[in-house]
Amino acid sequence: MKKFFFLLIGIAFFSATAIAQQGSKPSIIPQPDNITMGLQECFFELTPDTKIINLLDDKNAKSVNNEINRLAQELLGKRLKTASSIKGAHNIIIKKNNSLAAEGYILEIAPENVIIQAKNAAGAFYALQTIKQLVPVQAFETPLDLERVKLPAIKINDAPHFAYRGFMLDCSRHFWNVETVKEVLDIMALHKMNRFHWHLTEDQGWRIEIKKYPLLTEKGSLREETTTGHNEGFDGIPYGGYYTQKDIKEIVKYAQERFITIIPEIEIPGHSLGALCAYPWLGCRGEEGNYKTWPMWGVSPQIACAGKESTFQFWEDVLKEVIELFPGEYIHIGGDEAPRDEWKVCPLCQKRIKENNLKNEAELQSYVTHRIEEYLNKHGRKLIGWDEILEGGVSQSATIMSWRGASGGIKAAQKGNYAIMTPNDFCYLDYFQTKNRKSEPDAIGGYVPLSKTYSLNPYDKLTPEQQKYILGVQGNLWCEYIPTPMQLQYMALPRLGAIAEIGWSNPAQEGKNANEFIERAKHLSRYYAVFGWNFAKHFYDGVE
Ligand code: ACM
Ligand code: ZN
């Protein structure tokens, strides 16, 4: 009977809003699909007496309660009590609704209750990210002064357009500690992003502990010094850092709590000097290579030898441990910018080419990719590689990450391979974001202002049939010129908000307007500030 009563109140409330004066639409990133505002003076009051009634049967339902409690702790200084069935008013009720899309939600905020409907816990988690942006920012600015926090009456029906909404962080050129990585995951969560691509191995340092090969981290994670400027000199300061397997498990768990899947990247066969320094037998030149973890920026000309079986054994051993650490379905194997010159003069690589009737070194890289993919598939995982892996031919099941513009992703989709769009001219967050370089920290180059990132249409030049192969979008942050967490955040924000919106909101949405987005980004920046996150501010004044 009570349920019926509240249902009536709910219907009355929302039909009243249809005729009554409505409040202005709230500013939310990514833009939700459908928003109906309640009466301007209608609020739900979040207080220490608010109860959580979570009726999801999902194994991750607890993560939703944990997120509510993090919010309550921040705003009210208290965790909320839970109840197992709907009684009375003043609750946050989370209900299962199987008719909704995966990760989608319906959020109804009324004076009586907050009701979240979702098909799975991820959807409910995203409803909470929307709620976070509906909390008046002043409540975060002066927390604990408030006994109650007012949430505006509203109904939102929302779901993501793309299943893959990613951010890549380079932890090799500069190393980011566990706390910094966790903060990145928090930033992603607020933007409803769900894939963290973790770039873990490089010429400049190997950053993941592999038990079978301890020298990878004992030696390969260290470089004697680092170049200064744009490869102009050297600082003479030893640099290093790596994640233990314990660190990785902690970060994987932290990400899972925020519905983020981690995609680890182990570079094969180029960008491997960290590994070659630790185990010179991996390289075409062996001990004679005199390999040293690279102190420069750019791509070293050294490469792992594709002629030796021992190299494949190494890659499989490494991937075995990587698979055990990361539960997600994808493993990224790099494959970009592999310098194939050493292969041209290596007798073992040439023997491999001959024995397998390969035409050239590009096909040798393709041979490597195929073998690695077979290993991953045998162990229940799928391969992602940068768009170079298309060059010598690629299997139908490999997923392509398009970075040299969109052409690799377009080619992949045309031939029926799945692709993730991360074209450098829209999605490289290490590029300058303003023309006024004097007022900026140094960057690698390029020019990708917020409005440019926001203008990306991942479906550009694709037929409706080909569009089905675009899994989503990703922002990439390479860290050669990013030495501190403050600068990391500065480069990522607010452009990551644009990537998030392209990933979440329909790319073909009517009325997509960069100026309107910039206004919302400006609003969200106040939240970045109270959460202690650094961000670029020029776009406030339309400065690009
Ligand atoms: C890349 O930027 N080398 C993928
Ligand atoms: Zn070789």
Side-chain angles (χ1 to χ4, degrees):
M1 181 61 202
K2 264 199 180 139
K3 230 176 177 174
F4 184 60
F5 176 72
F6 283 113
L7 182 69
L8 278 182
I9 285 192
I11 291 167
F13 161 63
F14 281 108
S15 47
T17 62
I19 47 166
Q21 187 201 353
Q22 296 180 5
S24 60
K25 279 205 171 162
S27 173
I28 297 168
I29 291 177
Q31 179 70 50
D33 275 350
N34 196 303
I35 302 177
T36 311
M37 289 304 299
L39 289 170
Q40 233 157 10
E41 63 275 16
C42 257
F43 294 97
F44 174 86
E45 290 191 332
L46 179 71
T47 76
D49 297 326
T50 302
K51 280 199 217 41
I52 304 170
I53 303 173
N54 188 340
L55 305 174
L56 294 175
D57 54 7
D58 200 302
K59 69 179 190 324
N60 299 312
K62 195 157 173 279
S63 302
V64 175
N65 291 18
N66 292 344
E67 180 70 358
I68 295 173
N69 276 322
R70 280 191 285 273
L71 188 60
Q73 193 78 45
E74 199 153 338
L75 294 168
L76 308 165
K78 283 193 176 67
R79 293 169 65 83
L80 302 182
K81 293 201 176 68
T82 57
S84 53
S85 60
I86 300 174
K87 263 194 233 104
H90 219 73
N91 306 307
I92 298 175
I93 302 167
I94 302 142
K95 291 181 179 169
K96 191 168 178 71
N97 180 341
N98 277 329
S99 72
L100 297 180
E103 300 185 299
Y105 64 89
I106 295 174
L107 168 66
E108 294 168 82
I109 301 178
E112 297 74 28
N113 289 305
V114 171
I115 302 175
I116 294 168
Q117 298 177 56
K119 182 174 186 163
N120 51 30
F125 183 84
Y126 295 133
L128 296 172
Q129 302 316 312
T130 296
I131 288 178
K132 223 183 261 182
Q133 294 187 42
L134 292 171
V135 170
V137 71
Q138 296 84 346
F140 288 109
E141 283 167 349
T142 52
L144 312 188
D145 288 356
L146 297 162
E147 276 295 293
R148 55 197 68 238
V149 174
K150 284 182 171 180
L151 299 175
I154 200 166
K155 180 169 181 178
I156 295 180
N157 196 332
D158 198 12
H161 184 79
F162 287 111
Y164 187 115
R165 306 178 301 278
F167 176 59
M168 187 218 75
L169 184 65
D170 167 12
C171 295
S172 296
R173 274 52 175 266
H174 283 100
F175 174 71
W176 307 110
N177 67 22
V178 171
E179 286 317 305
T180 303
V181 175
K182 285 182 176 175
E183 199 150 32
V184 163
L185 295 168
D186 287 338
I187 291 172
M188 288 178 65
L190 178 70
H191 294 87
K192 305 187 175 88
M193 301 187 85
N194 64 358
R195 298 286 184 275
F196 177 55
H197 170 175
W198 202 359
H199 187 79
L200 287 164
T201 71
E202 257 307 334
D203 289 328
Q204 290 85 358
W206 182 282
R207 307 265 174 247
I208 170 172
E209 180 189 25
I210 300 295
K211 303 270 191 202
K212 185 156 186 185
Y213 297 99
L215 297 184
L216 286 172
T217 41
E218 279 172 35
K219 281 183 83 171
S221 71
L222 301 169
R223 58 178 182 253
E224 286 173 3
E225 56 185 350
T226 302
T227 186
T228 52
H230 292 247
N231 281 342
E232 284 143 27
F234 293 97
D235 64 7
I237 304 168
Y239 188 90
Y242 66 89
Y243 305 101
T244 64
Q245 294 204 352
K246 186 165 167 278
D247 291 337
I248 287 175
K249 285 177 191 157
E250 185 179 329
I251 288 173
V252 167
K253 188 159 174 282
Y254 193 90
Q256 280 172 335
E257 271 277 301
R258 286 151 186 81
F259 298 89
I260 295 170
T261 303
I262 301 187
I263 296 167
E265 181 184 356
I266 306 296
E267 280 272 18
I268 295 174
H271 290 273
S272 292
L273 202 44
L276 270 54
C277 160
Y279 297 102
W281 49 264
L282 283 169
C284 285
R285 303 179 60 212
E287 291 295 339
E288 275 177 26
N290 198 23
Y291 303 119
K292 290 223 163 36
T293 309
W294 228 33
M296 318 269 291
W297 304 143
V299 186
S300 89
Q302 285 96 351
I303 189 165
C305 181
K308 298 175 193 166
E309 275 308 296
S310 52
T311 311
F312 285 89
Q313 188 61 52
F314 169 82
W315 283 327
E316 291 185 4
D317 291 340
V318 167
L319 290 172
K320 179 171 184 288
E321 293 191 33
V322 168
I323 285 169
E324 281 163 10
L325 286 167
F326 295 95
E329 66 175 333
Y330 286 108
I331 306 283
H332 201 304
I333 60 106
D336 57 319
E337 301 175 312
R340 303 180 193 124
D341 289 340
E342 288 190 344
W343 283 357
K344 288 184 183 155
V345 293
C346 169
L348 293 175
C349 285
Q350 290 305 312
K351 185 164 172 267
R352 176 88 75 195
I353 287 177
K354 217 163 155 195
E355 282 177 1
N356 290 277
N357 295 319
L358 305 173
K359 280 211 265 316
N360 51 31
E361 289 71 28
E363 287 199 359
L364 179 57
Q365 182 171 348
S366 171
Y367 169 92
V368 170
T369 308
H370 273 95
R371 273 187 67 172
I372 297 296
E373 186 179 16
E374 239 168 69
Y375 179 83
L376 290 177
N377 292 166
K378 206 164 76 193
H379 293 80
R381 303 307 174 93
K382 292 183 184 162
L383 175 146
I384 302 180
W386 296 108
D387 58 49
E388 284 92 335
I389 69 168
L390 284 165
E391 285 168 11
V394 79
S395 81
Q396 204 56 55
S397 49
T399 295
I400 307 303
M401 192 167 266
S402 188
W403 75 278
R404 295 177 299 178
S407 59
I410 292 170
K411 210 180 287 174
Q414 285 169 344
K415 69 186 231 51
N417 279 71
Y418 284 108
I420 295 150
M421 286 300 194
T422 174
N424 60 331
D425 43 347
F426 293 85
C427 297
Y428 268 36
L429 307 181
D430 57 329
Y431 287 9
F432 282 102
Q433 47 195 327
T434 171
K435 279 188 181 139
N436 182 6
R437 295 190 176 180
K438 283 204 194 90
S439 66
E440 284 288 280
D442 195 14
I444 198 161
Y447 173 52
V448 178
L450 180 66
S451 58
K452 179 75 192 288
T453 303
Y454 190 62
S455 70
L456 174 66
N457 179 354
Y459 289 153
D460 210 18
K461 300 196 177 70
L462 294 173
T463 64
E465 185 51 36
Q466 291 160 356
Q467 289 174 15
K468 292 181 189 152
Y469 291 98
I470 304 301
L471 295 179
V473 290
Q474 178 172 290
N476 290 343
L477 194 56
W478 301 104
C479 291
E480 288 93 336
Y481 295 88
I482 302 179
T484 66
M486 284 287 278
Q487 201 174 325
L488 184 169
Q489 294 174 356
Y490 178 89
M491 296 306 277
L493 297 174
R495 288 182 291 187
L496 198 64
I499 303 274
E501 182 149 316
I502 294 159
W504 183 276
S505 311
N506 188 335
Q509 65 181 284
E510 290 281 311
K512 180 170 155 172
N513 174 320
N515 289 333
E516 183 273 336
F517 174 76
I518 287 169
E519 283 307 307
R520 281 186 288 124
K522 192 194 290 191
H523 177 79
L524 189 56
S525 294
R526 288 187 63 191
Y527 291 74
Y528 296 162
V530 292
F531 298 151
W533 302 337
N534 196 22
F535 57 94
K537 298 165 186 74
H538 345 82
F539 62 90
Y540 271 5
D541 309 314
V543 174
E544 296 192 336

